[in-house]
Structure formats: C-alpha cells, structure tokens
C-alpha cells in the first residue's frame, strides 16, 4: 500500500529518490573533500576508505529499507494508534516494518552500492576465492546487525516514548563511525564497538582481512569470518528485547 | 510598544513549546554528543595529516566540531524549525487564518523561530559543547568581550537561518508540497553551512564560493569570531547583509503569494 501510494505521484517519487541519493551522498562528499586535502586518513587510502564506506552504507541501506520506519513507533505509542497493530492477525514487527514503508530509501542503497562498486575496482587487492565470497557475506551480515539495532531501538521506545533520537545515535552514528578506519579512533571506542556493540564486524574486521591490513585490537585471523555468527547473536538478543518491550506495553487507553 | 509585547509572547511560546519535550531533548543531547565524538576523531586524524588545514590548529578544529553539534538544532541546519509548521499550514490552507490575524506574518514566524532557537541552544547545545571542552583539546577564548561578540553573531546567524528557511517555505504556496523543499534545505544546509567540513578547509575555488553564500553566516562565522579567526565587525556585516537581503526577498514573495494565490481549502 505504501509503495503504491508513493508511486501514484511519479514525478514526486523520482524527485524524492533523487533527493535521498543526494542527502546520503553528502557523507561521501565529505570524505572526498577531506581527500582533496590529504592522501591518506589514519593511514588508509581513499579506495580503502571507500570500501569501508560502501560496505557499511550498503548494509545500513538494506536495514533502513526493511526496518527504517521503526522511529514512527514512538509516535504510534503516544497517540494510541499502536493498538490497531496489535489486533491485526499479522506479526507486529512485520507490520511496524511495513508502516510508512518508503521505497525512496532505494536512493540510499543505490548511492552506497555505487561507492562499493568503485571501491571494488579501485582497491589494490589480490583477490582470492575466500575474499570474493566474503564481500556479499559482509553485506548480508552487516544488514542483519543493523536490523537488530533498529529492532532493539524500537524495543527501547516502549520504555522511552519520545526519545526516538537515541536510536539515531546508534544506527546513523554507527554507520558514520564505520565509514572511517579503526585507526582513526581511540582504543576504548574501538573496544566498545567490537565487544559491547559488535559493529566492528559489519566491516572493520572482515575488511581488514580482505585488504590485508592489521586487525583492529589484534583480533585472531578467524574473526574475519565471524560476521554471520555475530549477526545471528545480535538478532536473537534484539528479538528478546522486542518481546520484552511488547509485553511491557500498556495502551494509552485514549 | 504593544506589538513588541506580542512578538515577545510569540517567542516565549516557541521557547516553551520545545522545552516541553524533555526526553526528546535528552535524546538529542546524547545523539549530538555521539556524533561529535565520531567527527572529532576523524578531524584529529585529518589535522594530523595536514596541520593548520584551513588556518586552524588541532584544538581549533575540535572546537569547531563541538560548536557545529551545539548549533545543529539551534540553527535548524537540516531544517525542522518554524518553516516545517509554516509549510504544513500553507499545504492544508490553515494559513488563511494566520493572514487574518492583526500581526505581521513574517515577524510572527521569526519571533516563534527565535524562541525555538533560544531553547535549543540552551537545552540541547550547551551540554555537548561543555562535554567537548572537558574531554577534548579545545581553543576557547578567556576574554569576555569575545564571548559577547560571539553572542551577537549567534543571534544574527539565527536570523539568517530563519530568513533562508522562510523564503523557501513560501514556495509551497505555488508547489503545494514541502517534501522537495525540505530535502533541498537539508542538502544545502548540511553542506554549505560547514556542518560536516569547515568552509575554510574547502579546496579553492569552491572555498571562495561557499564562503560567500548565506549559509556561511551560520556555523562558519560564529566559529571564526569565537576563535578569533575573523574580526567581529566583518562577521556582523556579512551576516547583516544576508539577513536584510533574504528577509526583504521573503517579504516580496509573501506579498506576491498573498495577493495572487488562492489558498487551498477544505
């Protein structure tokens, strides 16, 4: 329904997709601006950073397309319209994901995939079978990790009803963080996003293997292949948080 | 005198409206702080590579980041201030009610947006800025007069920010839907105000162009006054000229809209 409604006004849809492409492209434009002044950042070259960016932004774009509407949940809880989702014979999570489903978010994925494509061509790597196979695995696992973050954020909104913006710090903040190499950040921050909130497995760790760079925090070599496991763990935890949130839900009763 | 009281009341209303959402404010502070930390690390890496890029040393670059986070919602860099309500009122036709009021439309919205901006700088801006000054190297003046000069550029920045958004929001009278305009505001605001990258560090000749555009009045000018990179009078002149030009253009467009356009009704 939300797809059909946005396709009704074709020009408007085209313009918003284009706008979305531009808005999300700004991150990469900033990186390009930085590289107009330097040759490396934190010891990484532009194609290498484009590789990190492409992986993180594509994974995030997929998660955003599927579950990006989660931030309207707080509003629905506040105005009481969340109740209508509960009585429908479909999983609540799927309904919230489909709520205001915005196909314009394809703009984000298009832009991210374009940067990833550029990176794959420009980066100086001896491609092996394992490395080639790892790229799609990273994108899918990364998307699952970001999806888990969106769901956990939504569960948090049951507790804090008008603090949807906290979620942005982790989702949008997370993808921004991963667009820069781990060498840029302080050790404690890198530790935090490796062991506490395992964002490093979206791209930093597996990309280090592909690019032949030292692993962040001197992790073991096999950790490059851990993203699917990490993603599964995150999704399980987020699922638990969601169920707990849903159980604690009290209607506004208006 | 009576009308001054009216606009003061409108501004106070704008202030109070945003002050109501405490959890949202706390969430905003948290998000701005997280983004500030990420940006600070990338800037430190960048300034490691190129010391004195854009005429800033590392401490100044870091201060620039925190000032940006402080002013992000204050100046509605990516939109979402009074112009959002204005566009909605034009779209639904409720603007007709506003036009009947014995108050000036532009001044009314300016007052309301200034009230909003004042709350955002106190409620959302100060804490990330203080956090940055405490935990990262920073270049803050000790001279009170510099802070006073900074306060003046900040008010001027608020007016220019409003003038840009008001002017663009009025176009909804003709195009009926604000989605595209909002997106335009977001792209230009983030990029040309120096939110993600200081305009001083843009490569030439783009640097000269972006520093002459009205968006430069928003983060770049207050930052340069605070860090003593430009004289306050130069900054005031730049900001005031753009404020006058944009407000006058807004006034022209407003009178054209109210004379020629048929308001949508239900």
């Amino acid at each position: 329904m939300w797809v059909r409604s946005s396709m009704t006004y074709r020009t408007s849809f085209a313009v918003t997709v284009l706008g979305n492409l531009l808005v999300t492209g700004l991150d990469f434009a900033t990186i390009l601006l930085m590289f107009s002044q330097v040759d490396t950042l934190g010891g990484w070259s532009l194609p290498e950073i484009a590789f990190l960016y492409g992986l993180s932004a594509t994974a995030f774009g997929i998660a955003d397309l599927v579950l990006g509407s989660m931030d309207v949940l707080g509003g629905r809880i506040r105005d009481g319209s969340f109740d209508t989702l509960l009585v429908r014979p479909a999983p609540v999570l799927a309904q919230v994901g489909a709520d205001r489903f915005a196909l314009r978010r394809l703009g984000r994925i298009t832009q991210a995939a374009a940067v990833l494509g550029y990176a794959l061509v420009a980066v100086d790597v001896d491609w092996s079978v394992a490395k080639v196979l790892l790229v799609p695995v990273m994108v899918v696992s990364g998307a699952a990790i970001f999806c888990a973050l969106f769901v956990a954020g939504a569960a948090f909104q049951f507790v804090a009803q008008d603090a949807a913006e906290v979620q942005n710090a982790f989702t949008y903040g997370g993808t921004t963080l991963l667009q820069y190499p781990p060498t840029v950040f302080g050790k404690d921050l890198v530790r935090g996003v490796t062991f506490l909130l395992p964002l490093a497995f979206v791209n930093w760790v597996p990309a280090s293997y592909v690019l032949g760079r030292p692993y962040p925090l001197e992790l073991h070599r096999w950790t490059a292949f851990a993203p699917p496991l990490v993603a599964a763990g995150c999704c399980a935890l987020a699922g638990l948080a969601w169920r707990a949130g849903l159980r604690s839900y009290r209607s506004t009763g208006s | 005198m009576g009308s001054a009281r009216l606009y003061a009341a409108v501004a106070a209303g704008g202030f109070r409206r945003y002050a109501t959402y405490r959890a949202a404010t706390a969430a905003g502070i948290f998000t701005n702080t997280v983004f500030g930390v990420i940006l600070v690390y990338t800037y430190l890496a960048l300034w490691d590579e190129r010391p004195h890029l854009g005429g800033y040393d590392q401490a100044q670059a870091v201060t620039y980041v925190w000032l940006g986070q402080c002013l992000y919602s204050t100046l509605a860099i990516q939109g979402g201030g009074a112009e959002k309500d204005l566009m909605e009122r034009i779209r639904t036709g409720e603007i007709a009610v506003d036009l009947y009021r014995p108050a000036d439309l532009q001044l009314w919205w300016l007052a309301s947006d200034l009230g909003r901006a004042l709350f955002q700088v106190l409620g959302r801006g100060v804490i990330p800025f203080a956090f940055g000054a405490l935990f990262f190297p920073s270049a803050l003046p000790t001279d009170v007069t510099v802070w006073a000069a900074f306060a003046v550029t900040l008010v001027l920045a608020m007016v220019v920010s409003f003038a840009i958004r008001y002017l663009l929001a009025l176009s909804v009278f003709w195009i009926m839907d604000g989605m595209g305009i909002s997106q335009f505001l977001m792209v230009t605001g983030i990029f040309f105000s120096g939110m993600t990258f200081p305009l001083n560090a843009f490569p030439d000749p783009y640097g000269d162009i972006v520093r002459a555009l009205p968006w430069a009045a928003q983060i770049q000018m207050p930052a340069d006054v605070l860090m003593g990179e430009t004289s306050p009078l130069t900054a005031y002149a730049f900001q005031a000229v753009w404020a006058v030009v944009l407000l006058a253009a807004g006034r022209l467009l407003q009178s054209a809209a109210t004379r020629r356009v048929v308001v949508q009704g239900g």
Side-chain angles (χ1 to χ4, degrees):
Chain A
M1 175 181 79
W2 293 105
V3 174
R4 221 184 313 149
S5 82
S6 59
M7 292 308 259
T8 313
Y9 304 97
R10 271 166 208 286
T11 325
S12 174
F13 176 73
V15 170
T16 44
V17 169
L18 195 74
N20 221 255
L21 214 134
L22 270 177
V23 171
T24 57
L26 283 178
D27 294 339
F28 195 64
T30 305
I31 294 176
L32 287 178
L33 267 177
M34 289 180 172
F35 273 92
S36 72
Q37 306 286 9
V38 293
D39 295 323
T40 61
L41 193 65
W44 293 51
S45 68
L46 178 60
E48 288 174 315
I49 288 180
F51 187 56
L52 289 181
Y53 177 98
L55 288 169
S56 165
T58 311
F60 181 76
I62 295 170
D64 184 50
L65 182 70
V66 180
L67 292 171
S69 310
M70 285 296 179
D71 51 355
V72 298
L73 183 72
R76 282 211 178 267
I77 292 173
R78 257 174 290 146
D79 68 16
S81 62
F82 183 70
D83 290 12
T84 54
L85 304 185
L86 288 175
V87 296
R88 285 192 199 137
V92 180
L93 192 59
Q95 289 184 59
V96 178
D99 193 9
R100 322 252 159 99
F101 181 81
L103 210 55
R104 66 183 144 81
R105 298 204 182 103
L106 283 176
R108 183 187 290 277
I109 300 182
T110 313
Q111 181 265 336
V115 175
L116 183 59
Y118 154 77
L120 289 175
V121 176
V123 87
D124 186 21
V125 167
D126 272 334
W127 289 101
S128 66
V129 179
K131 286 180 181 178
V132 172
L133 288 179
L134 194 55
V135 173
V137 170
M138 275 192 268
V139 172
V140 174
S141 315
I145 292 174
F146 278 124
C147 279
L149 262 184
F150 274 112
V151 172
F156 175 71
Q157 287 185 55
F158 283 112
V159 187
Q161 309 196 336
D162 58 345
E165 214 177 330
V166 168
Q167 187 178 344
N168 292 350
F170 294 105
T171 51
Y172 287 87
T175 180
T176 309
L177 178 87
L178 295 176
Q179 289 163 7
Y180 295 93
T183 46
V184 162
F185 299 99
K187 268 264 154 52
D188 287 329
L189 187 60
V190 175
R191 256 185 226 119
V193 295
T194 307
F195 300 118
L196 284 180
L197 191 72
L199 286 171
F201 293 93
V202 172
N203 63 357
W204 281 353
V205 178
S208 296
Y209 169 78
V210 173
L211 299 174
R213 287 207 160 254
Y215 285 28
L217 307 173
E218 287 150 24
L219 290 169
H220 278 290
R221 269 179 66 86
W222 64 266
T223 49
F225 301 94
L229 284 176
V230 173
C234 288
C235 288
L237 284 176
L240 284 177
W242 170 255
R243 296 185 80 172
L246 200 57
R247 255 203 305 275
S248 75
Y249 171 70
R250 296 275 176 275
S251 172
T252 51
S254 52
Chain B
M1 249 357 258
S3 65
R5 276 233 306 280
L6 167 72
Y7 297 116
V10 172
F15 186 97
R16 264 204 307 278
R17 174 178 161 200
Y18 283 85
T20 317
Y21 302 102
R22 297 224 188 88
T25 304
I29 290 171
F30 180 72
T31 306
N32 282 127
T33 310
V34 169
F35 270 94
V37 170
I38 296 172
L39 218 53
V40 159
Y41 278 117
T42 62
Y43 276 34
L44 286 175
L46 191 64
W47 262 262
D48 255 346
E49 205 80 32
R50 273 285 303 272
H52 300 289
L53 176 60
Y56 291 154
D57 60 27
Q58 279 203 336
Q60 283 178 311
V62 169
T63 307
Y64 185 92
V65 169
W66 291 110
L67 192 65
Q69 293 303 317
C70 168
L71 298 184
Y72 182 60
S73 50
T74 304
L75 300 177
I77 295 297
Q78 64 164 9
E83 89 288 353
K84 201 178 69 189
D85 300 328
L86 176 62
M87 288 193 287
E88 188 58 20
R89 289 186 79 81
I90 298 174
R91 195 180 68 78
T92 56
E94 284 166 323
I95 193 75
V97 182
D98 299 349
L99 289 170
Y100 269 117
R101 289 206 180 105
D104 183 80
L105 195 67
Q106 193 182 34
L107 273 177
W108 174 283
W109 286 100
L110 174 63
S112 147
D113 198 55
L114 285 180
R116 179 200 61 78
L118 199 62
F119 171 74
Q120 298 287 31
V121 74
L122 297 174
R124 270 182 76 155
V126 171
I127 295 178
F129 193 71
F131 174 88
L134 268 175
F135 293 101
F136 293 92
S138 52
L140 295 174
T142 43
D143 190 352
V144 184
T145 51
V146 179
W147 284 100
F150 170 70
V152 176
T153 60
L154 199 54
V155 173
L156 284 168
M158 289 174 187
V159 176
V160 173
S161 156
F162 166 79
I164 294 172
R165 288 178 285 121
Y166 186 77
L167 185 62
L168 284 164
L170 286 177
S171 66
V172 176
F173 269 116
W174 286 273
I175 57 178
M176 300 299 176
D177 180 66
M179 278 275 275
I181 294 295
S182 295
Q183 241 163 13
F184 178 80
L185 276 171
M186 192 187 257
V187 173
T188 50
I190 292 176
F191 209 61
F192 294 136
S193 65
M195 182 68 208
T196 55
F197 202 61
L199 302 182
N200 288 354
F202 269 56
D204 288 327
Y206 309 106
D208 292 324
I209 300 168
V210 291
R211 283 192 295 273
L213 298 175
W215 288 275
Q218 298 185 66
I219 294 177
Q220 191 64 54
M221 282 293 161
D224 281 346
V225 168
L226 186 70
M227 299 191 290
E229 290 290 309
T230 188
S231 84
L233 287 181
T234 319
Y236 297 164
F238 179 81
Q239 292 176 306
V241 167
W242 272 120
V244 169
V245 168
L246 291 166
L247 287 175
R251 200 140 268 268
L252 266 175
L253 202 63
Q254 174 190 324
S255 62
T258 47
R259 262 187 290 113
R260 301 228 323 263
V261 167
V262 177
V263 168
Q264 301 212 83

